[in-house]
Amino acid sequence: MKPTLLILAAGMGSRFGGLKQVEPVGPNGEAIIDYTIYDAIRAGFGKVVFIIRESFADAFKEKFNEKLKGKIEVDYVYQELDMLPEGFTLPEGREKPWGTAHAILVARDVVKEPFCALNADDFYGKNAYKVMADFLTSSTNDSEYSMVGYQLNNTLSDHGSVSRGICEVDADNNLQKIVETTKIFKKGDAAYSVEEDGSEKPLTGKESASMNIWGFKPSVFNTLEGRFVNFLKTEISKPKSEMFIPSVVFDMISDGECSVKVLEADSPWFGVTYKEDKPLVVAKINRLIEAGDYPEKLW
């Protein structure tokens, strides 16, 4: 069974200031998602599922349906604020999505095979999809998951703070601990995080960072459903509360519900968090095209 690619694209792009999921960065108007899907197809993925919001569904379908026809199976799932378990109602004034764990959870009715979940606006590199596909097609343990790790200082933006899951692994590359750190920034050649009291904590920059590229089995949906209910019991009234996948995975590891293999892909990572990041992304993609990693025209 070929694995599925689950692309999390329902975020509103508040920091970027627009629908960055389809922002053109390639020489023929390709978005980062185009390179993601291209890499996934050549790595052996059989289906792509977009997690989007219904308000911009037409823009996505217009951009991807025709070009992907005959190349890979395509499906869409909507992540809406009122998609809550029985017994919960949407709080008045809530505008922010419920987070990446909720985004994955809403795909439970269409994803029945091992899958890779990742961000729409991150470029992960072709080797990331290869090692992920190899894992998803070879691992036979339903509670064994995976992630691709990236060196922290290679994932920061020159134009503002970012959120990263900082990871600790054992000698066998099993994930031991992950801490969602929401304000990491560059200062010269150094990296710092902002603590709750406003102080700055220095980082080495060599920490393994989760860039939200995860390998899951369908068994994860039942666990996410139960944990989302527990999350809502305490967090539903907080207008900016989110359920992050890295935090959920760490809790699952701590409770003995799963193990997570950290995969090394030696792939470049870059993304468009702020508008000012775009020229650098365009330049990096052009260099990869010149090196022969991608054709000038993908489709």
Side-chain angles (χ1 to χ4, degrees), residues 27 29 44 59 81 90 107 113 119-120 133 164 180 197 240 242 266 271:
L81 297 180
L90 181 67
E113 51 282 314
N119 295 339
R164 297 288 180 260
E180 184 70 22
D197 62 3
K240 294 187 177 181
E242 291 185 77
D266 192 28

Side-chain angles (χ1 to χ4, degrees), residues 30-58:
E30 297 92 346
I32 286 179
I33 296 180
D34 285 295
Y35 293 94
T36 294
I37 299 169
Y38 183 87
D39 284 335
I41 291 172
R42 60 179 172 175
F45 284 78
K47 180 169 69 174
V48 57
V49 177
F50 293 100
I51 306 297
I52 59 175
R53 298 184 72 166
E54 195 167 5
S55 60
F56 51 76
D58 289 344

Side-chain angles (χ1 to χ4, degrees), residues 146-162:
S146 67
M147 60 160 277
V148 178
Y150 292 82
Q151 188 167 302
L152 176 64
N153 60 6
N154 292 332
T155 72
L156 304 181
S157 171
D158 291 325
H159 306 291
S161 65
V162 297

